Amino acid sequence: MGAAFYSTKANILQVDTKDIKNVNGWDFAKAHSSDPPPQGNTPFWGMDTSNVAEVSPGVGVGFVWEVWRAVTGEYVDRGAGMIKVTLGSNVPLANRNGPLITGADGIQVGIMTILNAEGYIYTYTNGGPSGLIIGRSKLQNAFDATKYEFLQTNGNWVTGIPKSNDMSYGVQRNVHSDGQGSIVYSNYFRKYMLFTGAYGYYMNYYTSDTPYGPWSGQYGLAGRVGYGVNVHPEFSPGESHRVLFVSSGVGDGIMMYKLEFKY
């Protein structure tokens, strides 16, 4: 995975690169020493990453989806992994805390987004019959993949990471999510707001009284936004969340959207 940097408060669209001129060599999440190296027609590593959720001051958890890839676009799925993130002097540092936690047939745990809420780390993964699979672990077990439980469509929580083809897992009511999204508890609405992208084009959000649903109907926000939809509650004036800033974009740049609610 490419480099990660700290944000700057002076400019909402700017990160602090600490005068780094070349991002090569500043990998954020590398493969674990136990991972077999890329082989054959896919000689390069690929590593999709989730956002990071704080577990304790200065320490966060995140998830990766590891692939072998080629410049042609060909790739081989390898599986999900977990990272421990700490605050380096120049940039955030991420290290895998062990081997992959699933095979290629597992769900891409937390790649949509993750959240620290109500004493748990919640993971959100695209998939399942209703479009979204939610998992969770108690905060004290955040770095133990065997302690995560996942919500089935019948409302039961079951321990163990499901396979991607197991259609018994998913949220109640449909959520359309493609790519990465984000979630925040809104002090303004007093509800959780789940921001998603659809078809790499639309930006939507859903609300719920809990981090795991059931979710409201879809509220449309914008079109032509790209695949990632990230809410930034830290920029909301007074942390009221009546005004929220949401970023999204693709290869040609990142756009910031200002959402102003009058409820």
Side-chain angles (χ1 to χ4, degrees), residues 16-239:
D16 186 355
T17 62
K18 294 290 191 299
D19 297 322
I20 295 169
K21 303 300 183 183
N22 191 329
V23 298
N24 290 332
W26 290 88
D27 291 338
F28 180 63
K30 298 181 180 180
H32 190 258
S33 58
S34 65
D35 297 343
Q39 301 170 13
N41 295 328
T42 50
F44 304 109
W45 291 109
M47 205 79 65
D48 292 333
T49 63
S50 70
N51 60 308
V52 178
E54 187 178 59
V55 175
S56 60
V59 178
V61 66
F63 294 85
V64 301
W65 182 257
E66 184 178 283
V67 301
W68 296 342
R69 62 182 178 84
V71 295
T72 59
E74 181 182 359
Y75 67 91
V76 176
D77 286 317
R78 296 293 300 159
M82 187 181 291
I83 54 175
K84 183 177 183 178
V85 182
T86 55
L87 303 179
S89 58
N90 291 321
V91 295
L93 304 175
N95 291 288
R96 285 269 301 280
N97 71 334
L100 294 174
I101 58 177
T102 76
D105 57 350
I107 64 169
Q108 297 185 7
V109 182
I111 297 300
M112 192 275 195
T113 194
I114 66 175
L115 175 71
N116 177 337
E118 302 181 12
Y120 288 86
I121 294 294
Y122 281 89
T123 69
Y124 300 81
T125 306
N126 297 329
S130 51
L132 190 69
I133 299 171
I134 297 179
R136 69 182 183 185
S137 168
K138 290 183 178 179
L139 197 59
Q140 62 265 33
N141 298 322
F143 292 102
D144 186 346
T146 67
K147 298 295 178 64
Y148 280 77
E149 58 183 7
F150 291 81
L151 183 64
Q152 294 187 312
T153 55
N154 62 9
N156 292 332
W157 291 93
V158 179
T159 301
I161 302 172
K163 305 293 186 184
S164 60
N165 63 356
D166 189 336
M167 293 294 106
S168 67
Y169 290 86
V171 295
Q172 296 174 342
R173 303 179 187 170
N174 290 345
V175 171
H176 193 147
S177 174
D178 301 313
Q180 293 183 304
S182 55
I183 184 171
V184 64
Y185 180 79
S186 168
N187 294 326
Y188 185 69
F189 290 112
R190 299 191 182 279
K191 292 180 180 291
Y192 289 90
M193 300 179 71
L194 178 70
F195 290 82
T196 72
Y199 308 111
Y201 188 92
Y202 297 105
M203 179 194 298
N204 307 306
Y205 75 89
Y206 303 78
T207 65
S208 173
D209 293 326
T210 76
Y212 51 86
W215 300 97
S216 68
Q218 175 179 290
Y219 296 92
L221 290 173
R224 301 182 66 180
V225 299
Y227 286 94
V229 178
N230 297 290
V231 62
H232 304 277
E234 64 273 19
F235 294 121
S236 179
E239 297 184 354

